[in-house]
Amino acid sequence: MSSEILPLTTLAKQLEYCEGSQFQLILKKLTSPAYIDEQLLKTELPLVATKIQKLLRSNQDYDIWKGCHASVVLCSYNPLALCVHGGQLLTVIYSRLEQKTEYHSASSEAFSEKIVLKSLTSALSILMDLMRGKPTLSRESLVPKLKAIIPCLVDLTALEPELCLPILKELLLKNSTTFRPYANKYRQVLSKLISQEYGNLDPNVQSLVCENYAYLHLIKLQAQNSQDEHQAHHKPFHDETWRIGILSILAQFKPILELCDEMLDLDHDQDLKKLIKSLQYDNLYPTDLPTSDKLLPGLKVDLNEPMTLWEIPQRLNLLIDLLSPFLSLPTPYAVRIPLGACISVFEGLLGMTRNFLPLRREIRRDAELVSVIYDVLSHVQFSGVRLLNVLVQNFGKCCLSMLPSILGSLEFFIPLQLKSKSIDIKRCKLMKSEFLQYFQLLNSIFPHIGYQLQELDFFQKLVEVALALSEDENLANLLTNEGPAKTQSNKAGKKQRKDNSVGALSDMYTHADQFILRTSLAWYDQINLFLSGLLSNLKLPSSQQVKIIRYGVQKSLGWKQQVGHIPESFVELLRAIVVNPGNERVSILPIAVSLLKGSSDELFDLLCHPRLPVNLIHNVKGLANSIEEQNQEELLSNEDLEEAADEPEEEESQEKEENVEIESNTKRQIPETESEPEPPKRQRLNTNVPLFQAQNTEILKVDNEPPVVLKEEKQVEVVQEQQPASAQEEASDSESEMVIPQIQLSDDDEE
Amino acid sequence: MDEQVIFTTQNTGTVCNVHSLEQTSLRQLTVGSAHSAVQIGERYLLVAQSQKALINVYDISGDHKRESVEQRIPLPEVVCCLETVQNLQDSPQAADLSLPWLLLASTPSGKLYVWEMNSGFLLRVKQMAHYQSITKIQSICNGKYVVTSGEDSRVIIWQTTDLVCEEEPKPVCILHDHTLSVTDFAVSSTCGDSNVRLFTASQDATLRCYSLNLSRSVEPKQLATFTCPYPIQCLALDPADRACYVGTSQGVFNLSLYYRISGDKISNLIQETSTNKLFSLVPEPQESRDKLYSRGSLQVDKIVEANATRLEVSLDGSLLIVGDNDGHVAITEIFSKQVLRTIQPLTTAASNGAVTNLLIATQWKSSSQPSLTQRHNFSKIPALQRNIHDKRDLHELWFQIGQQPQSNPPQSNFEEYLNQVQAEQMLWSQSSTTPKPSAAPIPTAATSATVTADEDSKDQEIAQLRENLTTLKGAYAELRSMHQTLLEDRQ
C-alpha cells in the first residue's frame, strides 16, 4: 500500500516551499484516507506536524497562512493527527494569534495582516470545533487553553468583530463555565459595539453582536454590589438570567411607545393606552444587574427638529435585533419565553397607526413634521411586524391562541387614506420592502389556520395591496402626472432629479420604458404563495377572485414571453386558481393548460384526463393468458348481475341518485366542463389507465409476473362499454340499462 | 430501522419492537380507557391513569428504556382520552424539550380540556363537548382540525383555532349517523384539501365512511355504510387507503376497499361520487362473490380469530398488529393471515385485562449516530394548570430550540474551502510583498538553508540596527552639545 501513495515525508518537505496551486495540491493530498495509518504515527506524522508548526512560527506572513490551512486540513481529515498533534497545533496557532493581536491596531491596514488574522482565527475555530465533544481531547488540550484563548479573542473583538464574534458565540454556548471570568469584560466590549458603533456595522456583524449579547445571558449576571445575600439561598431556575435579559429588553419598549403619545392622540383609544401602561416589566427583575436597559443611552428627540424623530424607529429596530436572538437561538436548556408580553409589545407597536388615531392638535400645522411623523410611525409599526415574524418562526402555533388580536393588529399595518376607508396605495408603494416581510409573515401564519375566519375584510384589503404592489412601476410616468405625484417622484427616484437639472428630459418621454422599476421574483414568489394560500382557504368575493385570476394569467404570460418560462410560484398560483374556482362559474383550466403547454404538469394532466375511477364497477383486464378464463367467468357473472339488477329496486334508485351526485360533483371538481364544451373525459375512459392500487392480496397474487407487462396489459374499462364486445347479447341489454344514465350523464355535462 | 410498539393493558405497559425481541415493561401503570396514551416525539410517553387525576410520563428514548415513571402530572380530574396537536413540522430533534402545541384530554363526563403544553396553561374547557364519555380524540390535517368521537354516538369535528381562541367553541360539524357508541375512527393519512376520508366504527355494528371536504367549509358526505354481523370494537386503515381492518369480538376482518367482484371486475367501494351506499359484510359466505355483490353484500376475510380491542397497521401496510381482550398483542401478516409473533406483558398476574392502547412508531437508528442512544437530561414537562388561563400577563412558555448539527468548512465542502484558499492565494500573489518561500528553494538542504537564511537576514538586520544606532547617537550628541552651549550662554 505504501508504495502506491505519496509518502508523507515528501509532502512535508514540499509543504515548506510550495506556492500557489502546488499548495492546494498538497492540501488535497493531505485529505487522503491513506495517511490514517498507525504506522505513520511514529515518524512521518510528527514530521508533518513539526513542519506545520515551523511554518506557523515563521515570521513570514505567507508561511503562517500556509501553516493555518495545512493544520486545518490535516486535523479535519486525519483523526490520528488531530488526537496526537491537535493540541500542539492549537497552542502554536493561538500564541501566534496573541502576538499578532498585540501589534494589530485598527490603523494598520496591511492586507497581509488581515489575511493572516483571518486564517489564524478560522483555523483556531475549526480546530476547537474538531476537539469539542471528544472527551479526552477537550479535557487535555482544549479547555486548559481556553483560559488564554478567550481573553485574547475578547481583546481582538473590538478591532475585528467579524472574525472573533462567531468563535466567541460558540465558546459562550458550549464552554460557558470556562467563559465566566471573562464575561464582564466581554460585556463591556459588546456594550461599546452596541451603543456606539452599531449603525456602522454590516448587518451580518450586527446580528452576530446581538447573538453574542444574548448568549452572555447563559452566564449568571453579577450584581455590581451584591447586597442581597439573604436571597442567595433561593435557588432560581437555570434560565433566570436569560429571562432577565428578555424582560429588560421588553421593558424598554414602554417609554418609546409613550414618546409616540406625544405625536399621536392616544386618548382616542383607551384600550391602547391601557395596553401601553401594562407593558411594565422592569419590576420583574432586580435593578442592580448590568442589564440592557443600562446599556443604551437616552434618546434625543426634539419635535422642533423633525429628523431626530427617526431615532425612534432606529432604537426600536435595535431593540428587536437584541430581542430576537433571545427568542431564536438554541440554548442548552429550556428557557422561559414571555410570549404574552412579546405579543402585547407587538400590539402596542402596531397600534401606532394613523388610520384611526389623529395627530396631536398642536403639531398638525407643521407640514415637515407631519410627513416625518407619518414615515416614522409606519416604521414603528414595521418593527412590530419584525417582532411577530420572529415569534411565529420560532414558536409557530403557540401564537395562535392570541390569533384574533394578532390579526386585528396586523390590519393596522395597511395604511389607509385619511378619513376614508380606502387604502393609501402610494404609501404602500413607498414601503414595498417592508410589505415583502409582511407578506412573508402572513404566509407563515396561514398554514396553521383552518378555513373558518371572520376577518374577510382584512383579506380583501391584503389582496388589493398585494396586487397593486406587484405592478412594475414606471418612474417616468410619475413625472408626467401632475400635482401630488410630482412630490412623490422626488422620493421615488433620484434619476429624474438629475435629468431635470442637467440633461434633457426627452428620454423620459420617448423611452419611458427605460425607467421602469421591475418587481423582483422574490416578491412575486411571496405574493403568489400568499394568494394561493388565500384561494385554498377562503371563499373570496367575486371581484377579488377575478383580480387574482387576471393577475395570475397576465403575469404568467408576461414571464413566458419575456423569459421563456413560467416561474414555479406562478405555476402554483395557476394550480390554486384552477382547483379553487371560488364563486366564479368560469374556470381558467384551458388558459392554464395552454400557458403551460409542453410542460409536464401532473396536476393539470390529471384534471384534463381524469384517471379516477369515476364508475362504480370497473373491468380490469388481467394477464393475457387468463383472459379466456375470465371471459367465461364473466359470462356467468354478468348473468348474475343482470338478475340482480332487476331485483333490488332500491339499489337502482340509489344508483340514479348517485349519478345526479356525480354530475354535481364533477361540476364542482372539474369546473372546466362549463367553459370548455368538449371535455376529453369521455373518450379517455376507454384508454389505458393506470390501475389504482388493488388489495394487498391481489398485488401478491400477480407478483409472479413481471410488473411491466402487468401494467401494459391491465386495462380499466367501463363495464358497459366493454360489454358489447364480449358477445353477450342478452346480457348487454340489461347491462346497458344500468349504464344508460351514465352515458346520459356525459351528455348532460356537455350541455 | 425498527417499528416500536407500545401497548397498555389495564395494569401493564409494554414497549417492544416488531422486528426485534426487545421488551420493556413500564411500571406503575393503571389504564382505564382506550386511547389514553400518547407518545411525544421519541422521548415521552404520556399515559392517563384510571381513577386518578394523574398523567404518568415515561421516558422511552434510547436503547435502554427507563421503566420507572419520570414525572407525574396532576390534573383537575380523571381523564380518559389524550391527544396532542403538533406545533412545527420541522422541529429540530436535538432539543431536550420539544413539546407539541396542545394537549387535549377528555373526561368521562364528556368535557374537553385544552392545555398549551409549553406553558402548562389551561386554555379552554369545553363543557359537554359530548353528552357522554369521549372515546377517541385525534388531530388531523397538520393539527388544523380535531375530531372527537363519543359514547353518545356522535362524531364531532372542531377547528383547532376555535378551541383555543373562542370563549365557547362551536364544532365545525357533527356527524350523528350512528345509533350506538362510536368506538373508534380512522382518518386517511393523506391529507389533500378535499379528500380526507373518515371511517367511523360503532357498537351498532356499522362502519361508515365519510369524505370530509375541508378546504373551505366542512361538508362531510357519507360515502358508504358497511354493516357487520358483530359490534365493531376497533378499526385500522391501510396507509394508502386500500383496505380497512375491522376488529370485532369474533375476529378481525379485512375489508378491501377496491373490492374484487369476480374475475376481473373491481369495484371502488368508497368513491367520491357515491352517496351512502349500503353494504353488508359477510364473513363466511355461502354464495359466490358476484352474487353477493349484486345483493349489496361483500365478502370479507377473517385475518385473526381473536377478540380484538386495538388494531394498528405497520409502516408498509403488510403487518397488522392486533391487541386482544386477554392483553396479548399479535403481529400478523395480512396476506398469509399468519401470526408471526405474539407479545405478552411481562407479569405474573393471572389476567392483565384487554389491550387498551396500541401505539406504533417507526424509528430509524443509524450506526453513525450514537447520540440518539445517549441519555439526555430528562426535562420536565411544565405542570398543567387547573384554572383557565387569563391572557393578560407574561404568558411564559418553556421553550428550547435545538441545535443544528454543525460541520466545519473543510469537512463539509472541501472544494469550496480550496476555492477560498485559492482566492487568498490570489491576494498574496497580487500584493507588493510577493510571497517568498523562506529562502533559496533547494529542497535537498532544506533545513540548513532556512537556518542560514534566517542568520543572513538577522545579520542584515543587526547591521542596519547598528547603523541606526550610530546615527542616533551622533544626533543625540549634537543635540546635547547644542543644549549645553545654549544653557551656558544663558547663564
Side-chain angles (χ1 to χ4, degrees):
Chain A
M1 190 183 87
S2 58
S3 60
E4 291 163 19
I5 56 165
L6 193 66
L8 262 183
T9 40
T10 24
L11 271 185
K13 274 178 202 156
Q14 294 247 327
L15 192 58
E16 205 164 356
Y17 300 107
C18 64
E19 250 183 275
S21 59
Q22 218 183 349
F23 177 56
Q24 288 163 43
L25 271 180
I26 292 178
L27 286 185
K28 187 118 201 188
K29 272 273 162 244
L30 279 178
T31 62
S32 157
Y35 298 130
I36 311 174
D37 184 354
E38 221 165 319
Q39 287 175 339
L40 300 176
L41 195 57
K42 282 259 169 69
T43 52
E44 303 192 13
L45 267 181
L47 182 68
V48 178
T50 39
K51 289 279 176 199
I52 294 175
Q53 285 180 32
K54 196 176 154 200
L55 283 176
L56 284 169
R57 287 209 182 93
S58 137
N59 53 3
Q60 291 281 333
D61 282 346
Y62 184 67
D63 284 346
I64 301 176
W65 175 78
K66 277 203 307 195
C68 287
H69 284 298
S71 54
V72 162
V73 172
L74 184 68
C75 287
S76 8
Y77 283 92
N78 198 331
L80 281 178
L82 175 66
C83 290
V84 181
H85 303 290
Q88 301 163 6
L89 288 172
L90 186 71
T91 319
V92 181
I93 289 174
Y94 99 79
S95 60
R96 279 321 298 227
L97 183 66
E98 216 165 23
Q99 289 169 18
K100 287 277 168 196
T101 319
E102 256 170 56
Y103 300 114
H104 182 73
S105 63
S107 57
S108 66
E109 280 302 315
F111 91 98
S112 60
E113 211 157 295
K114 289 233 155 145
I115 294 189
V116 167
L117 267 183
K118 190 179 161 212
S119 50
L120 279 172
T121 44
S122 81
L124 191 65
S125 93
I126 291 170
L127 282 186
M128 287 197 299
D129 275 348
L130 287 171
M131 289 179 170
R132 211 173 272 137
K134 292 155 183 117
T136 321
L137 254 184
S138 66
R139 188 182 62 236
E140 302 287 328
S141 310
L142 180 62
V143 175
K145 278 167 201 132
L146 282 182
K147 284 184 186 124
I149 293 173
I150 294 174
C152 169
L153 286 172
V154 169
D155 285 342
L156 192 58
T157 306
L159 302 171
E160 295 287 339
E162 198 175 352
L163 300 179
C164 302
L165 288 172
I167 310 176
L168 285 168
K169 183 183 147 196
E170 282 291 297
L171 286 173
L172 268 172
L173 175 62
K174 305 216 167 112
N175 303 72
S176 32
T177 340
T178 324
F179 209 107
R180 177 170 288 181
Y182 315 102
N184 274 332
K185 192 170 179 210
Y186 191 41
R187 179 171 296 113
Q188 283 165 11
V189 173
L190 285 181
S191 308
K192 206 178 152 205
L193 279 177
I194 292 173
S195 57
Q196 292 169 19
E197 294 173 42
Y198 194 75
N200 306 330
L201 302 173
D202 75 274
N204 182 25
V205 181
Q206 281 183 349
S207 71
L208 275 173
V209 169
C210 296
E211 283 170 3
N212 274 282
Y213 185 75
Y215 269 149
L216 265 182
H217 292 77
L218 292 175
I219 298 167
K220 203 172 159 239
L221 289 178
Q222 276 155 4
Q224 266 123 15
N225 42 352
S226 49
Q227 302 159 331
D228 47 354
E229 295 278 319
H230 59 281
Q231 287 281 331
H233 67 272
H234 286 298
K235 202 184 168 203
F237 284 114
H238 253 319
D239 68 324
E240 198 56 40
T241 318
W242 193 269
R243 182 166 175 262
I244 290 173
I246 298 181
L247 289 175
S248 70
I249 295 172
L250 284 176
Q252 295 175 67
F253 282 96
K254 190 185 174 206
I256 299 178
L257 287 175
E258 280 167 348
L259 260 184
C260 294
D261 189 23
E262 298 294 317
M263 306 185 279
L264 281 176
D265 204 349
L266 294 190
D267 294 330
H268 283 75
D269 191 344
Q270 287 302 328
D271 286 347
L272 185 62
K273 246 192 151 164
K274 219 184 282 170
L275 178 78
I276 293 176
K277 219 174 183 181
S278 71
L279 299 177
Q280 180 93 35
Y281 304 116
D282 46 4
N283 50 353
L284 294 171
Y285 55 92
T287 49
D288 54 350
L289 294 176
T291 47
S292 66
D293 40 356
K294 283 141 200 130
L295 178 75
L296 299 168
L299 284 176
K300 291 195 187 79
V301 175
D302 186 356
L303 282 178
N304 293 317
E305 291 170 51
M307 289 319 270
T308 57
L309 289 178
W310 277 104
E311 284 205 17
I312 295 176
Q314 271 168 15
R315 171 59 60 88
L316 284 173
N317 276 327
L318 170 59
L319 286 179
I320 288 182
D321 285 348
L322 282 175
L323 183 60
S324 43
F326 277 103
L327 307 176
S328 59
L329 280 181
T331 47
Y333 39 77
V335 292
R336 274 171 292 174
I337 307 286
L339 186 70
C342 293
I343 299 273
S344 300
V345 167
F346 155 77
E347 283 172 21
L349 289 171
L350 263 288
M352 296 301 144
T353 169
R354 59 182 201 109
N355 292 354
F356 306 109
L357 296 173
L359 289 184
R360 282 213 176 264
R361 196 172 291 274
E362 54 271 25
I363 57 175
R364 278 182 213 167
R365 296 252 184 83
D366 189 342
E368 186 192 355
L369 185 61
V370 168
S371 94
V372 170
I373 285 178
Y374 282 171
D375 282 348
V376 163
L377 284 181
S378 44
H379 279 90
V380 168
Q381 287 186 310
F382 177 62
S383 61
V385 171
R386 284 185 58 205
L387 175 61
L388 187 66
N389 213 345
V390 176
L391 294 176
V392 172
Q393 295 303 337
N394 290 295
F395 309 115
K397 292 181 178 173
C398 290
C399 306
L400 285 190
S401 54
M402 295 161 232
L403 187 70
S405 59
I406 289 179
L407 286 183
S409 297
L410 277 178
E411 190 171 357
F412 294 147
F413 187 67
I414 302 176
L416 297 180
Q417 272 163 4
L418 282 185
K419 287 172 192 158
S420 84
K421 275 197 160 182
S422 54
I423 299 168
D424 192 345
I425 294 291
K426 268 180 197 144
R427 194 159 276 282
C428 291
K429 280 187 178 161
L430 286 179
M431 309 199 305
K432 191 159 175 179
S433 61
E434 281 83 7
F435 265 102
L436 180 63
Q437 287 202 36
Y438 181 68
F439 280 110
Q440 272 169 355
L441 168 67
L442 291 171
N443 282 335
S444 48
I445 296 179
F446 274 153
H448 303 315
I449 311 176
Y451 78 97
Q452 273 198 332
L453 283 169
Q454 278 80 44
E455 319 261 340
L456 206 57
D457 190 38
F458 175 40
F459 292 107
Q460 287 175 19
K461 275 186 200 163
L462 285 175
V463 172
E464 202 171 316
V465 174
L467 295 183
L469 293 190
S470 302
E471 296 298 323
D472 290 340
E473 197 173 0
N474 194 333
L475 295 177
N477 282 351
L478 288 176
L479 193 73
T480 50
N481 294 346
E482 60 292 305
K486 222 162 200 175
T487 53
Q488 200 79 179
S489 69
N490 289 347
K491 256 178 216 160
K494 282 178 183 161
K495 256 182 210 164
Q496 295 133 355
R497 289 305 275 176
K498 222 175 179 180
D499 289 344
N500 238 338
S501 56
V502 189
L505 284 177
S506 59
D507 272 352
M508 296 193 49
Y509 296 100
T510 53
H511 290 85
D513 54 317
Q514 296 293 318
F515 294 92
I516 289 177
L517 280 185
R518 300 222 178 269
T519 310
S520 66
L521 187 57
W523 168 270
Y524 282 127
D525 285 346
Q526 283 303 328
I527 292 299
N528 293 342
L529 189 61
F530 168 74
L531 292 176
S532 351
L534 213 58
L535 283 174
S536 49
N537 273 319
L538 294 171
K539 224 167 209 165
L540 290 171
S542 211
S543 64
Q544 314 278 342
Q545 182 94 15
V546 170
K547 273 184 198 163
I548 295 176
I549 293 175
R550 190 186 299 139
Y551 159 81
V553 172
Q554 281 180 349
K555 292 285 169 192
S556 314
L557 192 62
W559 275 95
K560 195 170 184 183
Q561 278 177 354
Q562 284 163 14
V563 189
H565 71 100
I566 298 179
E568 193 54 37
S569 67
F570 277 102
V571 177
E572 292 289 335
L573 179 64
L574 287 176
R575 284 181 184 175
I577 296 173
V578 170
V579 177
N580 306 289
N583 295 326
E584 285 308 297
R585 293 189 63 76
V586 287
S587 166
I588 64 147
L589 181 68
I591 304 177
V593 171
S594 43
L595 277 177
L596 293 169
K597 200 177 277 174
S599 69
S600 56
D601 192 300
E602 278 179 31
L603 183 91
F604 288 127
D605 189 36
L606 272 175
L607 282 176
C608 299
H609 318 133
R611 269 163 244 186
L612 295 165
V614 177
N615 279 28
L616 198 61
I617 301 173
H618 293 268
N619 219 336
V620 186
K621 263 199 186 167
L623 300 164
N625 49 13
S626 65
I627 279 180
E628 283 145 294
E629 299 169 35
Q630 284 172 359
N631 272 345
Q632 301 226 321
E633 275 179 42
E634 232 169 68
L635 246 166
L636 292 169
S637 64
N638 282 332
E639 277 164 10
D640 289 341
L641 268 179
E642 175 194 353
E643 287 169 33
D646 295 336
E647 261 182 31
E649 285 180 5
E650 48 165 297
E651 194 172 314
E652 247 185 43
S653 65
Q654 242 174 30
E655 202 126 54
K656 266 175 198 161
E657 275 174 27
E658 195 180 294
N659 290 332
V660 175
E661 193 54 42
I662 289 174
E663 193 184 328
S664 62
N665 247 14
T666 41
K667 260 182 197 158
R668 206 173 57 207
Q669 288 181 340
I670 317 165
E672 83 279 9
T673 45
E674 287 179 7
S675 61
E676 212 182 28
E678 56 274 6
K681 194 176 73 185
R682 273 302 132 191
Q683 289 87 2
R684 303 288 174 165
L685 272 177
N686 282 339
T687 60
N688 276 350
V689 177
L691 181 63
F692 43 88
Q693 194 77 330
Q695 187 43 9
N696 231 353
T697 49
E698 263 114 357
I699 294 174
L700 289 165
K701 261 181 211 163
V702 291
D703 247 4
N704 315 335
E705 310 298 323
V708 186
V709 180
L710 193 146
K711 216 171 191 177
E712 278 172 6
E713 294 190 350
K714 272 194 177 171
Q715 211 173 8
V716 181
E717 287 184 32
V718 183
V719 175
Q720 305 75 28
E721 288 173 358
Q722 200 258 339
Q723 214 60 59
S726 65
Q728 298 165 8
E729 289 84 7
E730 307 158 37
S732 66
D733 279 346
S734 65
E735 283 295 311
S736 60
E737 255 180 40
M738 255 178 73
V739 184
I740 279 170
Q742 289 188 340
I743 291 171
Q744 282 175 342
L745 158 79
S746 68
D747 293 339
D748 285 355
D749 260 3
E750 280 165 20
E751 281 162 30
Chain B
M1 203 170 95
D2 204 342
E3 285 174 282
Q4 187 181 56
V5 173
I6 302 168
F7 67 93
T8 64
T9 65
Q10 270 161 17
N11 47 13
T12 64
T14 307
V15 182
C16 52
N17 286 332
V18 173
H19 304 283
S20 59
L21 294 168
E22 292 150 35
Q23 192 168 344
T24 315
S25 61
L26 305 171
R27 289 186 204 147
Q28 293 169 299
L29 246 178
T30 50
V31 182
S33 51
H35 304 292
S36 55
V38 65
Q39 190 182 346
I40 298 178
E42 304 232 313
R43 291 179 61 77
Y44 303 103
L45 177 73
L46 271 60
V47 187
Q49 299 296 290
S50 71
Q51 293 156 2
K52 277 186 221 159
L54 264 188
I55 290 178
N56 280 2
V57 182
Y58 296 89
D59 183 357
I60 51 165
S61 64
D63 280 339
H64 308 287
K65 320 277 191 255
R66 297 279 294 264
E67 299 184 342
S68 53
V69 185
E70 293 287 333
Q71 189 186 351
R72 289 189 175 83
I73 307 178
L75 302 170
E77 57 182 306
V78 177
V79 299
C80 45
C81 296
L82 290 182
E83 171 68 354
T84 56
V85 179
Q86 286 304 317
N87 190 351
L88 300 163
Q89 290 300 302
D90 50 345
S91 59
Q93 289 299 310
D96 284 341
L97 182 81
S98 56
L99 294 175
W101 175 35
L102 296 177
L103 177 70
L104 307 170
S106 68
T107 66
S109 61
K111 262 190 228 169
L112 190 64
Y113 280 88
V114 182
W115 281 282
E116 185 176 64
M117 286 208 81
N118 283 107
S119 58
F121 288 140
L122 179 56
L123 296 180
R124 192 72 56 221
V125 182
K126 171 69 184 168
Q127 305 281 350
M128 301 286 281
H130 281 259
Y131 299 124
Q132 289 175 45
S133 175
I134 292 176
T135 51
K136 185 176 181 181
I137 312 173
Q138 195 183 339
S139 72
I140 61 168
C141 289
N142 288 335
K144 279 190 208 171
Y145 302 93
V146 173
V147 184
T148 57
S149 67
E151 282 177 8
D152 58 353
S153 72
R154 300 190 305 165
V155 177
I156 303 184
I157 301 168
W158 311 83
Q159 186 169 257
T160 317
T161 44
D162 287 350
L163 282 178
V164 296
C165 295
E166 308 271 314
E167 278 295 319
E168 190 55 40
K170 291 207 172 48
V172 181
C173 89
I174 302 176
L175 308 171
H176 31 54
D177 296 310
H178 286 290
T179 51
L180 283 175
S181 129
V182 179
T183 49
D184 202 352
F185 64 86
V187 181
S188 53
S189 0
T190 53
C191 174
D193 270 338
S194 55
N195 252 330
V196 183
R197 298 275 160 80
L198 169 69
F199 290 80
T200 58
S202 163
Q203 289 275 329
D204 63 6
T206 57
L207 169 73
R208 288 170 195 273
C209 171
Y210 299 88
S211 160
L212 302 180
N213 189 358
L214 290 173
S215 60
R216 263 168 270 184
S217 56
V218 177
E219 295 159 1
K221 199 176 80 175
Q222 197 170 354
L223 300 179
T225 304
F226 305 94
T227 57
C228 184
Y230 321 104
I232 303 175
Q233 293 173 337
C234 50
L235 174 70
L237 201 58
D238 179 85
D241 288 7
R242 297 173 302 185
C244 189
Y245 305 102
V246 181
T248 67
S249 57
Q250 303 301 314
V252 181
F253 300 106
N254 175 359
L255 165 62
S256 64
L257 297 174
Y258 295 107
Y259 182 78
R260 173 164 293 225
I261 301 168
S262 68
D264 51 1
K265 277 206 215 81
I266 280 185
S267 165
N268 179 7
L269 297 181
I270 49 158
Q271 72 195 40
E272 195 62 33
T273 49
S274 57
T275 45
N276 198 12
K277 249 184 127 31
L278 196 73
F279 297 105
S280 57
L281 307 183
V282 184
E284 284 143 358
Q286 312 294 325
E287 298 163 282
S288 64
R289 288 175 81 104
D290 38 5
K291 223 168 210 167
L292 280 175
Y293 184 76
S294 63
R295 282 198 275 108
S297 303
L298 306 172
Q299 181 188 340
V300 286
D301 298 332
K302 188 182 276 187
I303 300 178
V304 193
E305 185 95 34
N307 185 353
T309 54
R310 285 280 75 94
L311 288 178
E312 279 293 340
V313 183
S314 69
L315 179 74
D316 59 352
S318 68
L319 299 179
L320 188 67
I321 293 126
V322 185
D324 66 15
N325 206 24
D326 306 324
H328 299 206
V329 167
I331 299 169
T332 316
E333 196 186 34
I334 292 166
F335 170 57
S336 65
K337 300 172 195 164
Q338 294 279 321
V339 175
L340 300 182
R341 211 176 122 203
T342 316
I343 307 166
Q344 296 178 14
L346 298 171
T347 52
T348 50
S351 128
N352 297 312
V355 173
T356 45
N357 287 292
L358 185 59
L359 306 173
I360 181 164
T362 315
Q363 293 180 326
W364 180 71
K365 245 178 280 165
S366 132
S367 56
S368 63
Q369 225 180 356
S371 60
L372 271 182
T373 57
Q374 236 171 335
R375 183 147 295 282
H376 300 262
N377 305 320
F378 181 85
S379 326
K380 290 209 159 164
I381 296 175
L384 303 177
Q385 297 192 350
R386 287 156 183 274
N387 298 322
I388 293 188
H389 168 60
D390 175 26
K391 272 168 197 164
R392 284 288 137 212
D393 67 349
L394 289 182
H395 194 128
E396 284 185 314
L397 305 177
W398 282 98
F399 216 94
Q400 185 182 5
I401 289 161
Q403 291 165 25
Q404 302 293 343
Q406 279 181 327
S407 62
N408 59 42
Q411 272 179 343
S412 56
N413 190 345
F414 191 70
E415 286 306 311
E416 200 172 281
Y417 182 76
L418 269 190
N419 286 346
Q420 192 201 331
V421 171
Q422 198 171 3
E424 284 174 4
Q425 174 75 45
M426 198 53 198
L427 285 177
W428 285 112
S429 56
Q430 280 174 344
S431 71
S432 52
T433 55
T434 34
K436 279 195 185 112
S438 314
I442 312 161
T444 44
T447 42
S448 60
T450 44
V451 170
T452 51
D454 276 353
E455 279 173 0
D456 278 358
S457 63
K458 255 181 206 162
D459 284 351
Q460 275 181 2
E461 212 177 317
I462 289 169
Q464 205 175 7
L465 285 174
R466 278 196 181 138
E467 208 173 300
N468 287 349
L469 189 67
T470 46
T471 47
L472 275 173
K473 262 186 182 167
Y476 178 74
E478 210 172 316
L479 271 173
R480 181 82 196 174
S481 64
M482 273 172 76
H483 177 254
Q484 200 67 29
T485 49
L486 279 171
L487 196 70
E488 279 166 8
D489 283 358
R490 269 280 175 90
Q491 285 168 347

